[in-house]
Each structure stands twice: as structure tokens, then as C-alpha cells.
Amino acid sequence: MAARRGPGPVAVLALLALLGPGWPLRGARAALNLQELSELKYGLEILAEPVLAGQHHAEDVVTVASRFKQRYECRLPPAATKDWWTYEFCYGRHIQQYHLEESEIKGDVLVLGYYQSAFDWDDETAKASKQHQLRRYHSQSYVNGSRCDLTGRAREAEVRFLCEEGAGDYIARVDEPQSCSYVLTVHTTRICHHPFLRPAPGLAPQPIRCQPALSPAQYVQYVRAQVCE
């Protein structure tokens, strides 16, 4: 299983549905995940405080316009993804990281870890921790990867499997909470039969916060109005 690190959680279509038809999308760096959006994982909040248009160039910021041609800058939920690395996850064997250019590997192939063990749901000590039950994921440990220049130790990774019904197996995100220590989140239908791993009902949607994006002239007028008040 290989996955490019994409631009983050995709909620652009949700914005389209809420802001109305006929608006242009400028500067968005997202691909549409219809399965994700159909589950209503995102909530939209329009903030009153405007911003000066074009000042934010982060990957998690997209610019949209309503049917009334009011532009907004919207910040997508945080995601630890970038578009440079490709990750290859071979179940029960290894995890690799490399860079692709025109479908060819460029540079070194880094091993993030070799399979060591999996969480044992029948182990009484493991059951007592409740961590996996509360967070609703199954995990595997991968160790003895390529040497890390920053720490001098071997790279290691934890793979967390989350239930996503009606979808295939794919790497949803890759985090690096500590140098050369990784967490891969894999969405799969294969664990949905387990009673502890089914998604909790009524999960709060991920917030998408939008602010009116004003031209320089409009922003000056806004500031002057605030001073007068």
C-alpha cells in the first residue's frame, strides 16, 4: 500500500454545498474525497473578523467565493501531511519512505521500521489500559528502521488502523510526533467487525473556519470604521 502525502483533509466540496452553487474556487490545493464528505465530518463556521486577501499562503488555507461574490479565506482542519514524500506500507513486513519524480524513486529509500508486534486484544494487561478502546484503533509496531541522523537511533513507527466502512485500504495521514518516530493512520474496512473499533456515533465535525477576504481598499475602510466606532 503506497500513498502520497496529500494536502490535508479534504473539505472543499462541503464548502461548495454550504456556500451555494456558481462560485469559483481559487488557490485550493485539495482533491475531492466524496466518501469522506458524505459522512459529514466537517462543520463550517463563518467568522466576523475579516482578513486582507492574499496574505496567507499556507497549504491548509483555501480561497472561495459565495454566490454573492464575497470572497472568504478558509482554514482547513490541521493535518500533518505534505506533498513531497511517498510512503509504502507492506502489512506485517515493513514501512518505507521515499521521494518520487515522474513515477521514479529519487534519492534514498528510508525504512521506517520492520514489523515487530501487534496489539493483543485478548491480553488482560492490554485490556486494562483502555487506550485502544477509547480511541477506537488497532495498532502494530515497526522497529529497527534506517538510522536517524538526528538521534543516532533506528527509525520506528506505529501503524494505527481505523474503521472506515465502504472504503478501500489507504494511508490517511503520517505524523512524526518525535524525530524519526512515526505514526501512520490507515483507514480500512477490515476491522469494522470488531465491536471496539466501530466509529463512535455523533462525533463532532472537524471545524473549517472562514473569514471574509477583503481587498486592500476594503480592508482600509474596515479599519477606519473600527476606529470610528
Side-chain angles (χ1 to χ4, degrees), residues 20 29-30 36 45 47 53 72 75-76 80 89-90 133 195 200 203:
R29 301 186 62 191
E36 183 179 41
E45 180 181 359
L47 304 180
Y72 295 87
R75 187 172 295 276
L76 302 181
F89 169 53
C90 189
Q133 293 185 30
L203 291 177

Side-chain angles (χ1 to χ4, degrees), residues 7-222:
V10 181
V12 178
L13 189 58
L15 290 174
L16 186 153
L18 290 169
L19 294 177
W23 54 271
L25 179 64
R26 302 183 183 89
R29 301 186 62 191
L32 299 179
N33 184 335
L34 299 180
Q35 172 65 29
E36 183 179 41
L37 295 172
S38 69
E39 296 175 359
L40 300 178
K41 294 182 178 178
Y42 301 98
L44 183 65
E45 180 181 359
I46 304 296
L47 304 180
E49 184 73 18
V51 296
L52 183 59
Q55 297 299 299
H56 299 91
H57 302 288
E59 290 187 349
D60 61 346
V61 175
V62 295
T63 301
V64 299
S66 72
R67 68 178 71 183
F68 305 109
K69 302 188 183 304
Q70 170 61 59
R71 296 178 66 196
Y72 295 87
E73 287 191 358
C74 301
R75 187 172 295 276
L76 302 181
T81 56
K82 298 180 181 179
D83 57 3
W84 203 79
W85 291 111
T86 293
Y87 291 88
E88 180 180 288
F89 169 53
C90 189
Y91 181 89
R93 295 177 60 187
H94 64 256
I95 306 168
Q96 294 182 338
Q97 170 185 294
Y98 46 82
H99 175 57
L100 284 178
E101 290 184 11
E102 298 180 353
S103 301
E104 293 186 4
I105 297 176
K106 300 294 184 180
D108 296 333
V109 176
L110 298 177
V111 178
L112 305 190
Y114 296 95
Y115 176 78
Q116 180 188 50
S117 62
F119 183 80
D120 185 359
W121 290 90
D122 296 323
D123 181 80
E124 294 301 323
T125 302
K127 284 182 180 179
S129 72
K130 300 290 185 181
Q131 174 178 328
H132 286 62
Q133 293 185 30
L134 292 174
R135 298 187 181 181
R136 297 178 183 271
Y137 66 80
H138 175 65
S139 68
Q140 291 181 336
S141 297
Y142 289 73
V143 298
N144 298 324
S146 301
R147 183 181 180 275
C148 176
D149 293 335
L150 295 175
T151 65
R153 299 191 297 269
R155 300 172 191 266
E156 60 183 14
E158 177 189 8
V159 180
R160 297 180 178 180
F161 300 92
L162 273 69
C163 163
E164 181 175 342
E165 295 179 322
D169 306 329
Y170 65 95
I171 300 174
R173 60 183 292 162
V174 179
D175 298 297
E176 189 176 353
Q178 299 179 23
S179 296
C180 301
S181 179
Y182 307 87
V183 176
L184 276 73
T185 301
V186 175
H187 288 196
T188 177
T189 61
R190 301 172 189 268
I191 62 172
C192 294
H193 65 279
H194 197 293
F196 292 149
L197 300 178
R198 295 188 64 81
L203 291 177
Q206 293 287 320
I208 301 173
R209 294 184 173 89
C210 301
Q211 294 175 270
L214 306 182
S215 68
Q218 292 173 325
Y219 196 78
V220 169
Q221 291 180 356
Y222 167 77

